C-alpha cells in the first residue's frame, strides 16, 4: 500500500516540538516500521464527534485517543464555553470509567479546563456515565465530560461531551464545538498547565443525592417489600456498575442481590470477556452460570460505564435465556405505563420516546395506554434532546433504544443502567407475585400486540478502506433500493439523509421531520422494517430488521417464533 502524501505530512508534524519526546518516539517507531496501513489509520483523519462523542483506539496520531487529541477536544470545548458564557464562572463536571488510561485522561481533561479558568468537579473515583449526567444538572454545570468507550473492546477509549442540560452534545453545539476544535492547529494552543485550585474532587455526596432521587421513582414499593429476598445476580463486567448498582438495589429494599465475584473488580483489560458488552451472550456467561447455580429470579449485567444493561430470565422450560434490547425496552415501557395507570397517574402530557431502529412494539404499547410516543434518530442523545426541548410542557416517563439503553424518569439526560437495573428488579418482583417470569410477561405483550422479533447484523470495516467501503454500500442502496426483501414487497423507502419517504406504489414523496442522518429504512407491505446505518461510534455498518406476526395463543409461541426466525434470515440475507 502506497502511503498517501497527506498522511505522511500529518505524521511529520508529530515528529517535532511541541509534541513531547515520548510521543515523537512512538510516531517515529510507527514510521520506521513501514506499517503503511497502521500509519494511515492513525493519521488519515481527525477523530470526529459521532452519536457517542469522541471515540477511538488509544495510541499516537490524529485518529487516536491520546494526550493531544483529548487536549485539543477539551481546549476546543473550553473556547466554545468561554464564547458562549462570556464573563460567567463556568463549571464543568468530569468522570471516567474503568478503562485503561481513563483516570489519566480524566485528570488531563480537568487540568485543561482548570487552566482555562473554569471550576472543575472531578470525581475522585470511577463512576457511571448516568451519574455524570446527573452531576451536571445537580451541580448546575454548563458542561461535562465522561471518559469512556462504553462497551467497545479494551483497545478503545472515548470522550463524551455533555451540555448544561445533562445531555450529550447535539446540534448546533456539537458542530460548533468541532469547529472550535479544528481552529486549534498546534498543540501550543492547548493550555496543558493546570490550576489545581480550580479543581474540586467529588466524594460520595453526589452519589447519595443521586440514590435519594432514584428512591423516589419506585412505582410498586409494596411488591418489593413482599419480595425483598428476590434472587438477583448482577455483574458489572469489570466496570463502574459496581459503585452504584448494589447500593441502589439495597436502598430499594432488595436484600438478596449477589455480584459475580470474578467480574466485580474494575479492570480495563476486561480479563473474563472478549467484549465487555452485555448484548453478547459470552459477556453474560459468568452471570448466567451463577444465576443457574442459585436459580435466580433475574440476572443482569451492566457495561463498563453502566449506561447499558443486559437481562436474562427463565423461559417456560425453566432454562435461562437472554432478552434482547427491544424486549427489555418493551417490558419496561409496559411496566411503567401499567403502574402509572394503576395509580391513576397517567396525564395527557405524558410521553415516551424510542429511536427509529427500536421495535414498534413500544409504539403499540404506548397507543394501548393512549400515551404519546416519539421517534428520534439513533443515539440516546436525541432522546435527551427531546426531553430538554419539551421541558415543562410534558412529562417524560420512560424511553429506550434497542442497543440496551433505557431511562425511567427524568433525573438524567442519558441512558441509565443503574435506574434500569432497579426497575428490572422491581418488575421481576411484581411479576413473581403473580406467578410469572419476565419471559411470561413478554409473551403476554405478544398476545396483546402481536409477536415481534428483531435481528441486528453488524459488519466491521476498519480504517480508511473500511470507511470507504461503508460509504459505497450506502450509496449502492440509495442508487438501487431493493424492490423486495426475503420475498416480501417493499412499500416504502425512508431516506433520513435526504429527509424524505418514497411511497413506491404511488410514487408520492413525503417529508421526514427529523435532522438529516445517514440512515435508510425499507418498510415492506407486511410492516417489516429493515434499516441500514453506519455506526457513529464504531467502524461498522449496521443492518436492523424487525418482523411481526399475530400470536393466537401462548402455546403457539414456539412455532410463530420459528417462522419469524426464518423470515428474518431470508430478509437479512437479501440485504446484508
Amino acid at each position: 500500500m502506497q502511503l498517501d502524501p497527506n498522511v505522511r505530512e500529518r505524521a511529520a508534524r508529530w515528529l517535532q516540538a511541541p509534541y513531547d519526546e515520548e510521543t515523537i518516539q512512538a510516531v517515529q517507531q510507527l514510521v520506521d516500521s513501514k506499517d503503511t496501513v497502521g500509519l494511515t489509520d492513525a493519521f488519515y483523519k481527525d477523530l470526529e464527534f459521532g452519536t457517542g462523542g469522541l471515540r477511538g483506539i488509544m495510541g499516537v496520531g490524529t485518529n487516536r485517543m491520546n494526550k493531544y487529541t483529548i487536549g485539543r477536544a477539551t481546549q476546543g470545548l473550553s473556547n466554545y464555553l468561554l464564547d458562549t458564557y462570556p464573563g460567567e464562572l463556568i463549571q464543568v463536571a468530569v468522570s471516567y470509567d474503568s478503562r485503561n488510561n481513563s483516570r489519566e485522561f480524566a485528570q488531563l481533561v480537568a487540568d485543561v479546563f482548570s487552566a482555562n479558568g473554569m471550576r472543575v468537579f472531578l470525581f475522585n473515583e470511577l463512576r457511571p456515565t448516568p451519574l455524570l449526567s446527573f452531576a451536571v444538572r445537580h451541580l448546575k454545570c454548563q458542561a461535562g465530560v465522561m471518559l469512556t468507550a462504553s462497551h467497545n473492546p479494551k483497545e478503545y477509549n472515548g470522550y463524551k461531551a455533555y451540555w448544561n442540560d445533562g445531555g450529550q452534545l447535539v446540534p448546533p453545539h456539537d458542530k460548533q464545538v468541532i469547529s472550535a476544535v479544528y481552529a486549534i492547529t498546534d498543540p501550543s494552543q492547548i493550555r496543558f498547565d493546570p490550576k489545581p485550585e480550580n479543581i474540586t474532587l467529588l466524594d460520595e455526596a453526589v452519589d447519595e443525592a443521586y440514590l435519594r432521587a432514584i428512591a423516589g421513582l419506585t412505582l410498586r414499593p409494596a411488591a418489593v417489600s413482599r419480595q425483598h429476598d428476590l434472587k438477583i445476580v448482577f455483574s458489572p463486567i469489570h466496570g463502574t456498575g459496581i459503585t452504584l448498582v448494589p447500593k441502589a438495589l439495597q436502598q430499594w429494599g432488595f436484600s438478596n442481590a449477589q455480584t459475580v465475584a470474578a467480574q466485580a473488580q474494575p479492570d480495563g483489560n476486561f480479563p473474563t470477556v472478549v467484549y465487555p458488552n452485555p448484548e453478547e451472550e459470552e459477556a453474560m456467561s459468568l452471570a448466567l452460570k451463577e444465576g443457574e447455580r442459585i436459580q435466580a429470579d433475574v440476572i443482569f449485567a451492566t457495561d463498563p460505564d453502566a449506561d447499558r444493561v443486559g437481562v436474562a430470565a427463565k423461559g417456560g422450560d425453566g432454562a435461562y435465556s437472554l432478552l434482547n434490547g427491544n424486549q427489555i425496552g418493551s417490558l419496561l415501557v409496559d411496566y411503567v405505563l401499567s403502574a402509572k395507570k394503576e395509580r391513576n397517574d397517567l396525564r395527557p402530557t405524558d410521553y415516551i420516546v424510542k429511536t427509529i431502529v427500536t421495535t414498534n412494539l413500544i409504539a403499540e404499547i404506548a397507543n394501548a395506554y393512549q400515551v404519546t410516543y416519539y421517534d428520534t434518530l439513533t443515539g440516546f442523545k436525541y432522546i435527551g434532546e427531546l426531553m430538554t426541548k419539551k421541558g415543562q410542557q410534558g412529562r417524560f416517563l420512560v424511553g429506550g433504544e434497542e442497543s440496551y439503553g433505557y431511562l425511567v424518569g427524568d433525573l438524567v439526560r442519558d441512558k441509565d443502567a443503574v435506574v434500569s437495573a432497579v426497575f428490572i428488579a422491581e418488575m421481576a418482583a411484581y411479576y413473581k407475585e403473580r406467578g410469572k417470569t419476565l419471559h411470561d410477561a413478554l409473551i403476554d405483550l405478544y398476545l396483546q400486540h402481536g409477536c415481534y422479533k428483531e435481528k441486528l447484523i453488524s459488519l466491521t470495516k476498519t480504517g480508511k478502506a473500511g470507511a470507504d467501503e461503508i460509504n459505497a454500500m450506502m450509496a449502492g442502496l440509495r442508487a438501487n433500493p431493493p424492490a423486495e426483501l426475503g420475498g416480501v414487497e417493499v412499500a416504502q423507502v425512508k431516506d433520513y439523509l435526504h429527509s424524505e419517504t418514497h411511497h413506491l406504489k404511488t410514487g408520492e414523496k413525503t417529508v421526514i421531520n427529523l435532522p438529516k442522518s445517514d440512515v435508510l429504512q425499507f418498510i415492506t407491505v407486511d410492516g417489516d422494517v429493515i434499516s441500514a446505518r453506519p455506526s457513529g461510534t464504531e467502524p461498522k455498518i449496521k443492518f436492523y430488521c424487525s418482523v411481526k406476526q399475530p400470536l393466537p395463543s401462548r402455546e403457539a409461541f414456539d412455532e410463530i417464533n420459528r417462522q419469524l426466525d426464518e423470515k428474518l434470515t431470508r430478509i437479512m440475507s437479501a440485504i446484508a
Side-chain angles (χ1 to χ4, degrees):
M1 177 181 174
Q2 191 72 25
L3 188 64
D4 187 291
N6 180 56
V7 171
R8 183 182 292 108
E9 180 184 342
R10 288 164 70 93
R13 295 184 201 135
W14 284 55
L15 290 171
Q16 55 192 317
Y19 293 95
D20 61 58
E21 192 58 38
E22 183 180 352
T23 297
I24 292 171
Q25 288 179 7
V27 174
Q28 189 63 58
Q29 287 176 359
L30 191 56
V31 171
D32 293 343
S33 71
K34 309 297 183 184
D35 178 8
T36 55
V37 174
L39 193 63
T40 298
D41 287 349
F43 283 98
Y44 83 97
K45 67 172 185 175
D46 291 344
L47 280 179
E48 299 170 356
F49 279 92
T51 57
L54 193 68
R55 190 178 300 187
I57 294 171
M58 290 177 280
V60 293
T62 59
N63 190 36
R64 295 285 186 258
M65 291 291 295
N66 54 61
K67 171 183 176 180
Y68 296 99
T69 54
I70 291 171
R72 187 187 189 203
T74 307
Q75 187 61 55
L77 178 54
S78 295
N79 291 346
Y80 183 67
L81 285 165
L82 290 166
D83 287 342
T84 306
Y85 298 101
E88 295 185 35
L89 171 63
I90 297 173
Q91 300 188 139
V92 293
V94 181
S95 186
Y96 58 97
D97 70 2
S98 61
R99 288 183 174 271
N100 294 329
N101 297 316
S102 282
R103 177 68 183 88
E104 292 78 8
F105 287 161
Q107 185 65 59
L108 170 68
V109 170
D111 288 348
V112 174
F113 279 136
S114 75
N116 280 274
M118 299 174 190
R119 185 181 183 190
V120 186
F121 297 106
L122 173 64
F123 281 88
N124 63 356
E125 292 180 327
L126 76 172
R127 284 295 185 272
T129 288
L131 187 65
L132 184 278
S133 176
F134 176 83
V136 169
R137 296 163 61 80
H138 181 68
L139 299 171
K140 297 179 171 54
C141 295
Q142 284 91 344
V145 171
M146 178 74 191
L147 281 301
T148 179
S150 189
H151 57 285
N152 280 55
K154 64 181 181 180
E155 294 82 11
Y156 285 75
N157 214 315
Y159 181 108
K160 286 185 179 180
Y162 290 77
W163 201 240
N164 58 13
D165 64 342
Q168 291 182 54
L169 290 183
V170 293
H173 298 303
D174 55 354
K175 300 299 183 187
Q176 291 172 351
V177 169
I178 286 294
S179 295
V181 171
Y182 287 166
I184 299 167
T185 56
D186 189 273
S188 62
Q189 297 170 275
I190 303 169
R191 296 175 180 171
F192 281 120
D193 295 329
K195 293 182 179 176
E197 65 274 16
N198 289 346
I199 301 175
T200 300
L201 293 179
L202 295 178
D203 56 20
E204 293 184 357
V206 176
D207 299 13
E208 291 163 2
Y210 172 70
L211 291 170
R212 282 195 304 272
I214 287 176
L217 298 177
T218 180
L219 292 173
R220 289 182 170 121
V224 174
S225 180
R226 290 188 293 267
Q227 297 291 330
H228 68 89
D229 59 348
L230 188 82
K231 291 183 180 178
I232 300 169
V233 168
F234 163 65
S235 172
I237 314 183
H238 305 290
T240 60
I242 191 64
T243 64
L244 287 180
V245 174
K247 290 179 181 178
L249 288 168
Q250 183 180 31
Q251 177 181 270
W252 272 47
F254 292 106
S255 58
N256 194 16
Q258 298 187 27
T259 300
V260 178
Q263 295 179 324
Q265 186 65 32
D267 188 334
N269 291 315
F270 309 114
T272 64
V273 297
V274 177
Y275 299 108
N277 185 355
E279 298 179 52
E280 304 286 343
E281 186 170 359
E282 182 270 335
M284 293 279 291
S285 61
L286 289 182
L288 280 165
K289 185 177 179 181
E290 179 61 18
E292 288 167 352
R293 187 185 71 79
I294 70 167
Q295 286 298 288
D297 295 300
V298 65
I299 302 165
F300 45 78
T302 53
D303 67 343
D305 66 322
D307 62 355
R308 301 172 193 247
V309 58
V311 181
K314 276 186 181 180
D317 58 359
Y320 290 91
S321 60
L322 299 182
L323 302 178
N324 66 39
N326 288 298
Q327 292 169 330
I328 300 166
S330 298
L331 282 167
L332 279 169
V333 168
D334 183 74
Y335 178 76
V336 171
L337 296 186
S338 68
K340 288 285 186 182
K341 183 178 181 180
E342 185 181 281
R343 294 156 62 106
N344 294 314
D345 187 27
L346 280 180
R347 307 172 188 171
T349 57
D350 287 343
Y351 66 97
I352 68 170
V353 193
K354 71 179 190 68
T355 68
I356 57 174
V357 297
T358 301
T359 180
N360 283 328
L361 175 56
I362 289 176
E364 295 280 359
I365 294 167
N367 288 336
Y369 287 97
Q370 298 182 311
V371 170
T372 302
Y373 80 90
Y374 296 96
D375 274 317
T376 70
L377 294 177
T378 307
F380 213 93
K381 67 179 184 178
Y382 296 111
I383 296 178
E385 178 187 31
L386 179 61
M387 292 169 66
T388 296
K389 282 182 176 178
K390 288 190 71 67
Q392 300 302 312
Q393 296 177 352
R395 183 176 66 161
F396 172 83
L397 296 182
V398 56
E401 55 186 1
E402 44 64 49
S403 54
Y404 293 64
Y406 323 100
L407 177 63
V408 182
D410 66 351
L411 297 177
V412 305
R413 292 291 183 272
D414 207 344
K415 49 189 177 285
D416 188 335
V418 183
V419 166
S420 300
V422 288
F423 267 99
I424 289 163
E426 180 178 298
M427 190 163 57
Y430 171 75
Y431 288 123
K432 185 178 182 181
E433 283 205 316
R434 282 149 183 75
K436 296 180 178 181
T437 66
L438 294 180
H439 187 270
D440 295 327
L442 188 63
I443 302 298
D444 289 342
L445 289 179
Y446 292 157
L447 286 167
Q448 183 178 357
H449 304 290
C451 193
Y452 282 73
K453 188 143 196 183
E454 292 80 24
K455 187 172 185 178
L456 167 65
I457 293 179
S458 293
L459 303 179
T460 300
K461 307 286 183 180
T462 58
K464 182 179 185 301
D468 291 343
E469 188 176 351
I470 288 172
N471 289 336
M473 292 172 76
M474 292 298 291
L477 286 170
R478 282 194 171 87
N480 299 291
E484 57 88 22
L485 285 166
V488 185
E489 183 184 354
V490 174
Q492 296 177 31
V493 177
K494 290 178 175 284
D495 189 338
Y496 290 84
L497 190 61
H498 297 116
S499 302
E500 69 177 21
T501 299
H502 185 194
H503 303 266
L504 300 185
K505 279 217 183 272
T506 64
E508 180 189 8
K509 293 184 178 180
T510 53
V511 175
I512 296 173
N513 292 311
L514 284 174
K516 293 180 183 296
S517 182
D518 191 9
V519 182
L520 285 169
Q521 284 188 322
F522 308 96
I523 293 92
T524 73
V525 293
D526 287 353
D528 310 312
V529 182
I530 301 92
S531 309
R533 180 184 77 90
S535 172
T537 57
E538 300 171 279
K540 293 179 178 180
I541 182 169
K542 296 185 176 184
F543 296 92
Y544 309 76
C545 184
S546 177
V547 296
K548 64 176 182 177
Q549 192 169 324
L551 181 63
S553 68
R554 191 173 293 273
E555 292 72 28
F557 174 72
D558 288 342
E559 175 58 22
I560 297 297
N561 192 51
R562 184 191 64 78
Q563 292 175 19
L564 292 176
D565 265 337
E566 290 179 354
K567 190 175 189 180
L568 282 169
T569 299
R570 289 196 304 271
I571 290 175
M572 292 302 257
S573 63
I575 195 168

